[in-house]
Amino acid sequence: METTKYLLNETALPKRWYNIQADLPSPAPPYLNPGTMEPLGPEDLAPLFPMELIMQEVSQDRYIDIPQEVLEIYRLWRPTPLYRAHGLEAAIGTRSRIFYKYEGVSPAGSHKPNTSVAQAFYNKKEGRTRIATETGAGQWGSALAFACELMGLECMVYMVRVSYEQKPFRRSMIHTWGAEVVASPSDTTNTGRAILENHPEMNSGSLGIAISEAVEDAANRDDTAYSLGSVLNHVLMHQTVIGEEAIEQMKMAGAYPDVVIGCVGGGSNFAGIAFPFMRDKIAGKEIDFLAVEPAACPTLTHGIYTYDYGDTAKLAPVAAMHTLGHDFVPESIHAGGLRYHGMAPLVSHALQLGLIRAEAYLQNDIFASAITFARSEGIIPAPESAHAIHGAITTAKKADEEGVEKTILFNLSGHGHFDMAAYDNYLAGKLVDVAFDEAQMGRALKAIESLPKPA
Ligand SMILES: *Cc1c(COP(=O)(O)O)cnc(C)c1O
Protein backbone atom coordinates (compact mmCIF):
# COMPACT_ATOMS: atom_id res chain seq x y z
CA MET A 1 0.00 0.00 0.00
CA GLU A 2 1.16 3.49 -0.85
CA THR A 3 1.07 6.00 2.00
CA THR A 4 1.11 9.72 1.42
CA LYS A 5 1.02 11.85 4.51
CA TYR A 6 1.27 15.64 4.50
CA LEU A 7 2.90 16.85 7.69
CA LEU A 8 3.28 20.48 8.61
CA ASN A 9 6.24 21.71 10.56
CA GLU A 10 5.45 22.89 14.10
CA THR A 11 6.22 26.43 12.99
CA ALA A 12 3.23 26.18 10.62
CA LEU A 13 0.78 25.75 13.50
CA PRO A 14 -1.89 28.42 12.87
CA LYS A 15 -1.38 31.47 15.10
CA ARG A 16 -4.97 32.69 14.83
CA TRP A 17 -8.49 31.36 14.56
CA TYR A 18 -10.69 32.29 11.59
CA ASN A 19 -14.03 33.93 12.37
CA ILE A 20 -16.43 33.40 9.47
CA GLN A 21 -18.82 36.01 10.91
CA ALA A 22 -16.56 38.66 9.34
CA ASP A 23 -17.24 37.31 5.84
CA LEU A 24 -20.85 36.11 5.84
CA PRO A 25 -23.05 37.87 3.27
CA SER A 26 -25.62 38.46 6.07
CA PRO A 27 -25.25 38.08 9.83
CA ALA A 28 -26.76 35.15 11.73
CA PRO A 29 -29.74 36.19 13.91
CA PRO A 30 -28.85 37.08 17.53
CA TYR A 31 -29.38 34.80 20.53
CA LEU A 32 -32.43 35.53 22.68
CA ASN A 33 -32.75 35.58 26.45
CA PRO A 34 -34.76 32.45 27.41
CA GLY A 35 -36.71 34.46 30.00
CA THR A 36 -37.61 37.60 28.05
CA MET A 37 -37.12 36.55 24.41
CA GLU A 38 -35.22 39.82 23.89
CA PRO A 39 -31.83 39.73 22.13
CA LEU A 40 -29.09 38.68 24.53
CA GLY A 41 -26.48 41.16 25.67
CA PRO A 42 -22.98 40.20 26.84
CA GLU A 43 -24.05 40.81 30.46
CA ASP A 44 -26.75 38.10 30.16
CA LEU A 45 -24.04 35.54 29.41
CA ALA A 46 -21.57 36.74 32.05
CA PRO A 47 -22.74 34.31 34.79
CA LEU A 48 -22.02 31.42 32.42
CA PHE A 49 -18.96 32.33 30.35
CA PRO A 50 -15.76 34.38 30.73
CA MET A 51 -15.98 37.76 28.97
CA GLU A 52 -13.31 36.95 26.38
CA LEU A 53 -15.36 34.00 25.11
CA ILE A 54 -18.53 36.13 25.10
CA MET A 55 -16.72 38.75 23.00
CA GLN A 56 -15.50 36.01 20.62
CA GLU A 57 -19.09 34.80 20.33
CA VAL A 58 -20.23 38.13 18.85
CA SER A 59 -16.94 39.29 17.30
CA GLN A 60 -16.91 40.51 13.70
CA ASP A 61 -13.09 40.43 13.52
CA ARG A 62 -11.86 38.10 10.78
CA TYR A 63 -9.02 36.66 12.88
CA ILE A 64 -8.44 36.23 16.60
CA ASP A 65 -4.96 35.51 17.92
CA ILE A 66 -4.50 32.16 19.64
CA PRO A 67 -2.92 32.79 23.08
CA GLN A 68 0.63 31.52 23.51
CA GLU A 69 -0.43 29.24 26.41
CA VAL A 70 -3.01 27.56 24.16
CA LEU A 71 -0.51 27.15 21.32
CA GLU A 72 1.89 25.47 23.75
CA ILE A 73 -0.72 22.81 24.55
CA TYR A 74 -1.84 22.48 20.91
CA ARG A 75 1.77 21.52 20.17
CA LEU A 76 1.21 18.25 22.05
CA TRP A 77 -0.62 16.94 18.95
CA ARG A 78 -0.84 19.74 16.35
CA PRO A 79 -0.39 20.21 13.47
CA THR A 80 -2.36 17.03 12.77
CA PRO A 81 -1.64 14.91 9.67
CA LEU A 82 -3.47 15.05 6.37
CA TYR A 83 -3.51 11.83 4.37
CA ARG A 84 -4.20 10.95 0.79
CA ALA A 85 -6.52 7.93 1.08
CA HIS A 86 -4.85 5.77 -1.57
CA GLY A 87 -6.04 2.60 0.18
CA LEU A 88 -9.65 3.70 0.33
CA GLU A 89 -9.59 4.94 -3.26
CA ALA A 90 -8.34 1.51 -4.39
CA ALA A 91 -10.84 -0.34 -2.19
CA ILE A 92 -13.81 1.41 -3.76
CA GLY A 93 -12.20 1.67 -7.21
CA THR A 94 -12.80 5.37 -7.64
CA ARG A 95 -11.06 7.72 -10.05
CA SER A 96 -11.52 10.61 -7.62
CA ARG A 97 -8.83 11.69 -5.18
CA ILE A 98 -9.75 11.45 -1.50
CA PHE A 99 -7.89 13.28 1.29
CA TYR A 100 -8.61 13.28 5.00
CA LYS A 101 -7.49 15.34 7.96
CA TYR A 102 -7.02 13.21 11.08
CA GLU A 103 -7.99 14.74 14.44
CA GLY A 104 -7.85 11.45 16.35
CA VAL A 105 -4.22 12.06 17.30
CA SER A 106 -5.15 14.38 20.20
CA PRO A 107 -4.81 13.00 23.75
CA ALA A 108 -8.60 12.67 24.02
CA GLY A 109 -8.83 11.03 20.58
CA SER A 110 -10.95 13.66 18.83
CA HIS A 111 -11.03 17.27 17.63
CA LYS A 112 -12.66 18.44 20.87
CA PRO A 113 -9.47 19.51 22.73
CA ASN A 114 -9.03 22.26 20.09
CA THR A 115 -11.73 24.16 21.96
CA SER A 116 -11.56 22.65 25.47
CA VAL A 117 -8.00 23.91 25.91
CA ALA A 118 -8.95 27.40 24.72
CA GLN A 119 -12.04 27.52 26.94
CA ALA A 120 -10.14 26.32 30.02
CA PHE A 121 -7.48 28.98 29.33
CA TYR A 122 -9.91 31.93 29.19
CA ASN A 123 -11.77 30.71 32.28
CA LYS A 124 -8.55 30.47 34.23
CA LYS A 125 -7.45 33.90 33.01
CA GLU A 126 -10.69 35.41 34.33
CA GLY A 127 -10.24 33.79 37.74
CA ARG A 128 -12.75 30.95 37.61
CA THR A 129 -11.51 27.82 39.32
CA ARG A 130 -14.14 25.30 38.25
CA ILE A 131 -16.02 24.42 35.02
CA ALA A 132 -19.29 22.50 34.71
CA THR A 133 -20.33 20.78 31.52
CA GLU A 134 -22.47 18.02 30.03
CA THR A 135 -21.37 15.10 27.95
CA GLY A 136 -23.32 12.62 25.85
CA ALA A 137 -21.13 9.73 24.80
CA GLY A 138 -18.24 11.11 26.88
CA GLN A 139 -15.94 12.60 24.22
CA TRP A 140 -16.52 16.18 25.30
CA GLY A 141 -16.37 15.37 29.01
CA SER A 142 -13.02 13.68 28.57
CA ALA A 143 -11.66 16.50 26.36
CA LEU A 144 -12.64 19.13 28.94
CA ALA A 145 -11.29 17.04 31.84
CA PHE A 146 -7.96 16.85 29.99
CA ALA A 147 -7.85 20.62 29.39
CA CYS A 148 -8.90 21.53 32.95
CA GLU A 149 -6.26 19.26 34.42
CA LEU A 150 -3.51 20.89 32.33
CA MET A 151 -4.77 24.38 33.26
CA GLY A 152 -5.22 23.57 36.96
CA LEU A 153 -9.04 23.90 37.05
CA GLU A 154 -11.64 21.68 38.68
CA CYS A 155 -14.09 20.07 36.26
CA MET A 156 -17.60 18.73 36.87
CA VAL A 157 -19.19 16.59 34.16
CA TYR A 158 -22.90 15.70 33.90
CA MET A 159 -22.94 12.57 31.75
CA VAL A 160 -26.15 11.31 30.12
CA ARG A 161 -27.09 8.29 32.24
CA VAL A 162 -27.36 5.71 29.42
CA SER A 163 -23.83 6.55 28.30
CA TYR A 164 -22.59 6.67 31.89
CA GLU A 165 -23.72 3.07 32.21
CA GLN A 166 -22.79 1.86 28.71
CA LYS A 167 -19.45 3.67 28.26
CA PRO A 168 -17.54 3.04 31.49
CA PHE A 169 -14.15 3.71 29.88
CA ARG A 170 -14.97 7.31 28.93
CA ARG A 171 -15.88 7.74 32.58
CA SER A 172 -12.50 6.25 33.49
CA MET A 173 -10.75 8.77 31.24
CA ILE A 174 -12.59 11.64 32.94
CA HIS A 175 -11.52 10.29 36.34
CA THR A 176 -7.96 9.72 35.15
CA TRP A 177 -7.72 13.41 34.21
CA GLY A 178 -8.91 14.29 37.72
CA ALA A 179 -12.46 15.45 36.99
CA GLU A 180 -15.72 14.55 38.68
CA VAL A 181 -18.51 12.87 36.71
CA VAL A 182 -22.12 12.10 37.70
CA ALA A 183 -24.92 10.38 35.82
CA SER A 184 -27.55 12.82 34.55
CA PRO A 185 -30.32 13.33 35.61
CA SER A 186 -28.57 13.59 38.97
CA ASP A 187 -29.80 14.49 42.45
CA THR A 188 -27.31 17.36 42.73
CA THR A 189 -29.35 19.96 40.77
CA ASN A 190 -32.97 21.18 40.90
CA THR A 191 -33.42 20.20 37.25
CA GLY A 192 -32.12 16.70 37.89
CA ARG A 193 -34.16 16.15 41.04
CA ALA A 194 -37.37 17.39 39.36
CA ILE A 195 -36.91 14.92 36.51
CA LEU A 196 -36.02 12.00 38.79
CA GLU A 197 -39.15 12.65 40.87
CA ASN A 198 -41.69 13.66 38.24
CA HIS A 199 -40.54 12.13 34.96
CA PRO A 200 -39.29 8.58 35.56
CA GLU A 201 -39.64 7.98 31.80
CA MET A 202 -36.77 10.47 31.27
CA ASN A 203 -34.41 8.91 33.82
CA SER A 204 -32.06 7.52 31.19
CA GLY A 205 -31.23 11.14 30.43
CA SER A 206 -30.59 13.24 27.34
CA LEU A 207 -28.16 15.88 26.22
CA GLY A 208 -30.84 18.55 26.76
CA ILE A 209 -31.25 17.52 30.42
CA ALA A 210 -27.50 17.29 31.05
CA ILE A 211 -27.00 20.79 29.59
CA SER A 212 -29.68 22.14 31.96
CA GLU A 213 -27.91 20.57 34.93
CA ALA A 214 -24.51 21.99 33.99
CA VAL A 215 -25.95 25.46 33.28
CA GLU A 216 -27.75 25.45 36.64
CA ASP A 217 -24.56 24.37 38.43
CA ALA A 218 -22.56 27.19 36.80
CA ALA A 219 -25.22 29.86 37.28
CA ASN A 220 -25.42 29.12 41.02
CA ARG A 221 -21.70 29.30 41.82
CA ASP A 222 -19.39 32.29 41.40
CA ASP A 223 -16.30 30.11 41.05
CA THR A 224 -17.86 28.04 38.25
CA ALA A 225 -18.37 28.69 34.55
CA TYR A 226 -20.31 26.64 32.04
CA SER A 227 -18.69 25.22 28.96
CA LEU A 228 -20.19 23.79 25.77
CA GLY A 229 -18.29 21.48 23.46
CA SER A 230 -20.05 22.43 20.22
CA VAL A 231 -22.83 24.61 18.73
CA LEU A 232 -21.67 28.08 19.89
CA ASN A 233 -19.82 30.47 17.55
CA HIS A 234 -16.65 30.62 19.64
CA VAL A 235 -16.45 26.82 19.75
CA LEU A 236 -16.72 26.57 15.96
CA MET A 237 -14.07 29.27 15.61
CA HIS A 238 -11.59 27.40 17.84
CA GLN A 239 -11.99 24.40 15.52
CA THR A 240 -10.87 26.38 12.45
CA VAL A 241 -7.27 25.38 13.18
CA ILE A 242 -8.29 22.15 11.40
CA GLY A 243 -9.18 23.88 8.12
CA GLU A 244 -6.36 26.43 8.34
CA GLU A 245 -3.86 23.57 8.52
CA ALA A 246 -5.69 21.60 5.82
CA ILE A 247 -5.40 24.53 3.38
CA GLU A 248 -1.61 24.46 3.73
CA GLN A 249 -1.49 20.66 3.48
CA MET A 250 -3.65 20.59 0.35
CA LYS A 251 -1.18 23.08 -1.15
CA MET A 252 1.65 20.64 -0.33
CA ALA A 253 -0.35 18.01 -2.22
CA GLY A 254 -0.83 20.40 -5.13
CA ALA A 255 -4.58 20.02 -4.77
CA TYR A 256 -7.70 21.99 -3.90
CA PRO A 257 -10.95 20.31 -2.79
CA ASP A 258 -14.05 20.28 -4.99
CA VAL A 259 -15.95 18.83 -2.03
CA VAL A 260 -15.38 19.31 1.72
CA ILE A 261 -17.17 16.88 4.03
CA GLY A 262 -17.72 16.58 7.78
CA CYS A 263 -20.13 14.86 10.13
CA VAL A 264 -22.43 17.09 12.17
CA GLY A 265 -23.64 16.67 15.74
CA GLY A 266 -23.54 20.23 17.02
CA GLY A 267 -21.55 21.29 13.95
CA SER A 268 -18.08 22.07 15.34
CA ASN A 269 -15.77 19.66 13.51
CA PHE A 270 -17.59 20.30 10.22
CA ALA A 271 -17.23 24.06 10.70
CA GLY A 272 -13.61 23.53 11.71
CA ILE A 273 -12.66 22.01 8.38
CA ALA A 274 -15.23 23.83 6.21
CA PHE A 275 -15.23 27.49 7.29
CA PRO A 276 -11.64 28.32 6.30
CA PHE A 277 -12.39 26.99 2.77
CA MET A 278 -15.78 28.76 2.77
CA ARG A 279 -13.92 32.09 2.67
CA ASP A 280 -13.09 31.16 -0.95
CA LYS A 281 -16.68 30.12 -1.72
CA ILE A 282 -18.02 33.41 -0.39
CA ALA A 283 -15.45 35.11 -2.63
CA GLY A 284 -16.86 33.27 -5.66
CA LYS A 285 -15.06 29.93 -5.90
CA GLU A 286 -17.15 26.83 -6.55
CA ILE A 287 -16.85 24.38 -3.62
CA ASP A 288 -19.40 21.83 -2.47
CA PHE A 289 -19.73 21.60 1.33
CA LEU A 290 -21.48 18.47 2.59
CA ALA A 291 -22.62 18.08 6.22
CA VAL A 292 -23.49 14.49 7.12
CA GLU A 293 -25.88 13.56 9.92
CA PRO A 294 -27.51 10.34 11.19
CA ALA A 295 -30.93 9.42 9.80
CA ALA A 296 -32.11 8.96 13.40
CA CYS A 297 -31.36 12.61 14.30
CA PRO A 298 -31.63 14.48 10.98
CA THR A 299 -31.51 18.06 12.21
CA LEU A 300 -30.44 19.73 8.95
CA THR A 301 -32.38 17.53 6.52
CA HIS A 302 -35.66 17.21 8.48
CA GLY A 303 -35.62 19.90 11.17
CA ILE A 304 -37.05 23.38 10.74
CA TYR A 305 -35.17 26.67 10.97
CA THR A 306 -36.52 28.57 13.96
CA TYR A 307 -35.67 29.89 17.38
CA ASP A 308 -35.46 27.10 19.94
CA TYR A 309 -34.14 26.45 23.42
CA GLY A 310 -30.76 24.82 23.68
CA ASP A 311 -31.74 22.64 26.66
CA THR A 312 -34.64 20.87 28.35
CA ALA A 313 -35.10 23.22 31.33
CA LYS A 314 -34.94 26.35 29.08
CA LEU A 315 -32.01 27.87 30.97
CA ALA A 316 -29.57 28.15 28.05
CA PRO A 317 -29.72 30.90 25.38
CA VAL A 318 -32.40 30.61 22.70
CA ALA A 319 -30.83 30.28 19.26
CA ALA A 320 -31.99 30.50 15.64
CA MET A 321 -31.10 27.10 14.27
CA HIS A 322 -32.27 23.96 12.51
CA THR A 323 -33.95 21.94 15.22
CA LEU A 324 -36.11 18.89 15.82
CA GLY A 325 -37.51 20.62 18.93
CA HIS A 326 -35.77 20.70 22.32
CA ASP A 327 -38.11 17.98 23.65
CA PHE A 328 -37.03 15.61 20.87
CA VAL A 329 -34.98 12.74 22.26
CA PRO A 330 -33.37 10.79 19.41
CA GLU A 331 -33.32 7.00 19.36
CA SER A 332 -30.18 5.55 20.84
CA ILE A 333 -27.63 5.12 18.04
CA HIS A 334 -23.95 4.32 18.21
CA ALA A 335 -22.80 7.71 17.00
CA GLY A 336 -23.74 9.18 20.37
CA GLY A 337 -21.92 12.42 19.58
CA LEU A 338 -24.44 13.22 16.83
CA ARG A 339 -27.60 13.11 18.96
CA TYR A 340 -28.26 16.80 19.66
CA HIS A 341 -31.74 18.16 18.79
CA GLY A 342 -30.35 21.40 17.31
CA MET A 343 -27.48 22.57 15.12
CA ALA A 344 -24.89 25.32 15.43
CA PRO A 345 -26.47 28.67 14.50
CA LEU A 346 -23.61 29.39 12.08
CA VAL A 347 -23.94 26.01 10.33
CA SER A 348 -27.73 26.46 10.18
CA HIS A 349 -27.28 29.96 8.77
CA ALA A 350 -24.82 28.63 6.16
CA LEU A 351 -27.48 26.12 5.06
CA GLN A 352 -30.07 28.91 4.85
CA LEU A 353 -27.65 30.91 2.68
CA GLY A 354 -27.10 27.94 0.35
CA LEU A 355 -23.41 27.71 1.24
CA ILE A 356 -23.66 24.08 2.36
CA ARG A 357 -25.87 21.05 1.82
CA ALA A 358 -26.71 18.11 4.07
CA GLU A 359 -27.39 14.37 3.79
CA ALA A 360 -28.57 11.84 6.40
CA TYR A 361 -27.42 8.18 6.47
CA LEU A 362 -28.43 4.97 8.27
CA GLN A 363 -26.08 3.45 10.81
CA ASN A 364 -25.61 0.08 9.06
CA ASP A 365 -24.39 1.95 5.96
CA ILE A 366 -22.12 4.06 8.17
CA PHE A 367 -20.54 1.01 9.77
CA ALA A 368 -20.07 -0.70 6.40
CA SER A 369 -18.02 2.32 5.33
CA ALA A 370 -16.19 2.39 8.67
CA ILE A 371 -15.07 -1.21 8.09
CA THR A 372 -14.02 -0.47 4.49
CA PHE A 373 -11.96 2.43 5.82
CA ALA A 374 -10.38 0.49 8.70
CA ARG A 375 -9.39 -2.30 6.30
CA SER A 376 -7.97 0.02 3.65
CA GLU A 377 -6.50 2.92 5.66
CA GLY A 378 -5.84 1.16 8.96
CA ILE A 379 -7.46 3.70 11.29
CA ILE A 380 -10.59 2.56 13.14
CA PRO A 381 -12.86 5.59 12.94
CA ALA A 382 -15.27 6.88 15.57
CA PRO A 383 -18.85 6.07 14.47
CA GLU A 384 -19.45 9.84 14.24
CA SER A 385 -16.50 10.28 11.88
CA ALA A 386 -17.66 7.29 9.83
CA HIS A 387 -20.55 9.48 8.66
CA ALA A 388 -18.00 11.71 6.92
CA ILE A 389 -16.27 8.63 5.45
CA HIS A 390 -19.59 7.40 4.09
CA GLY A 391 -20.21 10.86 2.66
CA ALA A 392 -16.83 10.75 0.91
CA ILE A 393 -17.43 7.26 -0.50
CA THR A 394 -20.93 8.19 -1.69
CA THR A 395 -19.59 11.36 -3.33
CA ALA A 396 -16.74 9.48 -5.07
CA LYS A 397 -19.07 6.76 -6.39
CA LYS A 398 -21.50 9.33 -7.73
CA ALA A 399 -18.64 11.15 -9.47
CA ASP A 400 -17.55 7.84 -11.05
CA GLU A 401 -21.08 7.25 -12.33
CA GLU A 402 -21.11 10.73 -13.81
CA GLY A 403 -17.70 10.15 -15.38
CA VAL A 404 -16.03 13.01 -13.48
CA GLU A 405 -13.00 13.05 -11.20
CA LYS A 406 -13.26 15.00 -8.00
CA THR A 407 -10.92 16.07 -5.25
CA ILE A 408 -12.63 15.19 -1.98
CA LEU A 409 -11.52 16.28 1.47
CA PHE A 410 -13.13 15.05 4.66
CA ASN A 411 -12.48 15.46 8.36
CA LEU A 412 -11.80 12.30 10.35
CA SER A 413 -12.87 13.79 13.67
CA GLY A 414 -11.73 10.96 15.93
CA HIS A 415 -10.78 7.33 16.44
CA GLY A 416 -13.22 4.64 17.54
CA HIS A 417 -11.19 2.85 20.21
CA PHE A 418 -13.90 3.40 22.81
CA ASP A 419 -16.65 2.29 20.46
CA MET A 420 -15.62 -1.30 19.87
CA ALA A 421 -18.87 -2.63 21.38
CA ALA A 422 -20.67 -0.93 18.50
CA TYR A 423 -18.27 -2.56 16.01
CA ASP A 424 -18.92 -5.94 17.70
CA ASN A 425 -22.66 -5.42 17.22
CA TYR A 426 -22.22 -4.49 13.58
CA LEU A 427 -19.91 -7.42 12.83
CA ALA A 428 -22.36 -9.78 14.53
CA GLY A 429 -25.16 -8.42 12.33
CA LYS A 430 -27.01 -7.10 15.35
CA LEU A 431 -27.05 -3.42 14.55
CA VAL A 432 -30.58 -2.12 13.96
CA ASP A 433 -31.36 0.82 11.68
CA VAL A 434 -33.65 3.00 13.73
CA ALA A 435 -36.26 4.93 11.82
CA PHE A 436 -36.62 8.64 12.39
CA ASP A 437 -39.64 9.35 14.59
CA GLU A 438 -41.57 11.96 12.56
CA ALA A 439 -44.44 11.95 15.04
CA GLN A 440 -42.14 12.73 17.96
CA MET A 441 -40.61 15.61 15.99
CA GLY A 442 -44.11 16.87 15.18
CA ARG A 443 -44.95 17.01 18.89
CA ALA A 444 -41.63 18.61 19.80
CA LEU A 445 -42.04 21.27 17.09
CA LYS A 446 -45.61 21.98 18.18
CA ALA A 447 -44.26 22.80 21.64
CA ILE A 448 -42.09 25.61 20.21
CA GLU A 449 -44.66 27.01 17.75
CA SER A 450 -45.08 30.20 19.74
CA LEU A 451 -41.36 31.04 19.84
CA PRO A 452 -40.17 33.96 17.69
CA LYS A 453 -39.11 33.22 14.10
CA PRO A 454 -35.76 34.45 12.82
CA ALA A 455 -36.10 37.36 10.37
C1 LIG B 1 -18.38 15.10 19.50
C2 LIG B 1 -17.93 14.48 18.26
C3 LIG B 1 -18.56 14.76 17.03
C4 LIG B 1 -19.78 15.63 16.89
O1 LIG B 1 -19.66 16.95 17.35
P1 LIG B 1 -19.52 18.18 16.36
O2 LIG B 1 -19.60 19.38 17.25
O3 LIG B 1 -20.62 18.13 15.37
O4 LIG B 1 -18.19 18.08 15.73
C5 LIG B 1 -18.04 14.18 15.88
N1 LIG B 1 -16.98 13.35 15.94
C6 LIG B 1 -16.36 13.05 17.09
C7 LIG B 1 -15.20 12.12 17.09
C8 LIG B 1 -16.81 13.60 18.29
O5 LIG B 1 -16.18 13.32 19.44
Side-chain angles (χ1 to χ4, degrees):
M1 183 186 122
E2 191 185 345
T3 300
T4 316
K5 178 160 123 181
Y6 299 95
L7 285 181
L8 289 172
N9 205 298
E10 258 187 39
T11 53
L13 183 60
K15 304 289 182 299
R16 46 197 202 167
W17 293 300
Y18 169 59
N19 178 18
I20 198 170
Q21 295 188 79
D23 291 324
L24 286 172
S26 68
Y31 294 103
L32 305 181
N33 181 310
T36 64
M37 291 295 160
E38 294 298 321
L40 267 187
E43 63 289 352
D44 291 308
L45 291 171
L48 295 183
F49 301 104
M51 201 41 80
E52 288 211 45
L53 290 178
I54 296 171
M55 297 327 283
Q56 288 181 7
E57 191 64 23
V58 296
S59 173
Q60 299 295 314
D61 295 343
R62 183 165 292 116
Y63 296 102
I64 290 179
D65 287 339
I66 305 175
Q68 197 54 41
E69 294 86 339
V70 174
L71 286 173
E72 271 308 306
I73 298 181
Y74 277 178
R75 284 180 54 231
L76 279 174
W77 73 95
R78 304 210 72 84
T80 63
L82 179 108
Y83 293 90
R84 169 83 184 268
H86 293 291
L88 179 65
E89 290 169 19
I92 62 171
T94 184
R95 290 162 55 212
S96 286
R97 294 191 291 176
I98 304 178
F99 295 86
Y100 61 96
K101 179 78 167 153
Y102 185 41
E103 289 295 307
V105 292
S106 81
S110 76
H111 65 291
K112 291 199 168 77
N114 295 332
T115 186
S116 68
V117 170
Q119 293 190 46
F121 169 77
Y122 289 114
N123 274 292
K124 175 157 175 129
K125 197 173 161 206
E126 197 171 274
R128 310 265 179 132
T129 57
R130 182 173 172 276
I131 300 183
T133 198
E134 72 288 332
T135 194
Q139 290 106 321
W140 171 242
S142 54
L144 189 66
F146 154 74
C148 284
E149 185 59 20
L150 292 199
M151 290 285 173
L153 298 172
E154 284 177 61
C155 177
M156 174 72 191
V157 181
Y158 294 88
M159 184 166 180
V160 176
R161 185 179 305 276
V162 271
S163 301
Y164 185 90
E165 282 158 8
Q166 287 172 2
K167 310 235 158 147
F169 294 134
R170 290 263 180 219
R171 234 200 291 163
S172 316
M173 284 175 91
I174 295 171
H175 283 143
T176 300
W177 277 313
E180 210 180 315
V181 50
V182 293
S184 165
S186 75
D187 61 7
T188 59
T189 65
N190 292 330
T191 305
R193 280 188 295 271
I195 288 170
L196 289 174
E197 280 160 29
N198 307 327
H199 294 283
E201 79 285 0
M202 289 161 87
N203 282 3
S204 57
S206 71
L207 218 41
I209 294 170
I211 294 175
S212 299
E213 289 206 272
V215 169
E216 183 186 323
D217 179 319
N220 288 340
R221 286 178 60 154
D222 283 344
D223 65 348
T224 301
Y226 169 63
S227 164
L228 194 59
S230 186
V231 179
L232 299 179
N233 303 346
H234 68 265
V235 179
L236 273 52
M237 187 187 71
H238 297 156
Q239 295 296 350
T240 58
V241 288
I242 303 171
E244 291 289 329
E245 288 178 6
I247 287 174
E248 295 308 312
Q249 289 163 309
M250 291 299 283
K251 276 188 202 154
M252 290 167 83
Y256 193 94
D258 299 305
V259 192
V260 178
I261 302 173
C263 65
V264 285
S268 74
N269 88 85
F270 170 72
I273 195 148
F275 283 0
F277 287 97
M278 216 173 279
R279 252 182 317 215
D280 292 350
K281 180 157 182 167
I282 293 168
K285 202 171 170 93
E286 209 172 294
I287 314 170
D288 179 21
F289 291 97
L290 174 60
V292 182
E293 58 189 9
C297 190
T299 317
L300 288 174
T301 53
H302 281 67
I304 61 166
Y305 184 67
T306 182
Y307 272 109
D308 193 8
Y309 297 98
D311 66 322
T312 304
K314 308 179 184 178
L315 301 170
V318 173
M321 58 183 175
H322 286 87
T323 179
L324 303 168
H326 62 274
D327 289 334
F328 184 89
V329 179
E331 282 296 325
S332 175
I333 50 163
H334 285 294
L338 306 181
R339 291 180 69 236
Y340 185 57
H341 69 269
M343 183 53 61
L346 285 176
V347 171
S348 297
H349 189 56
L351 184 66
Q352 290 301 104
L353 292 172
L355 290 168
I356 68 168
R357 65 191 178 90
E359 288 184 357
Y361 303 135
L362 292 166
Q363 62 176 349
N364 272 301
D365 295 337
I366 293 306
F367 273 91
S369 288
I371 298 283
T372 301
F373 187 81
R375 291 180 183 173
S376 57
E377 291 293 320
I379 298 170
I380 298 178
E384 290 84 0
S385 319
H387 286 70
I389 296 170
H390 191 65
I393 293 176
T394 305
T395 303
K397 286 186 172 164
K398 186 152 166 275
D400 290 332
E401 278 164 25
E402 291 166 355
V404 293
E405 288 171 30
K406 288 198 169 160
T407 300
I408 299 167
L409 168 66
F410 72 88
N411 193 30
L412 191 65
S413 52
H415 66 64
H417 299 178
F418 293 90
D419 302 283
M420 296 320 295
Y423 277 87
D424 277 346
N425 275 337
Y426 174 75
L427 292 169
K430 288 195 231 157
L431 206 60
V432 181
D433 277 327
V434 284
F436 169 56
D437 190 343
E438 293 267 358
Q440 199 206 151
M441 176 184 73
R443 288 191 296 275
L445 290 180
K446 192 137 188 63
I448 57 169
E449 250 175 6
S450 63
L451 290 186
K453 300 285 172 283

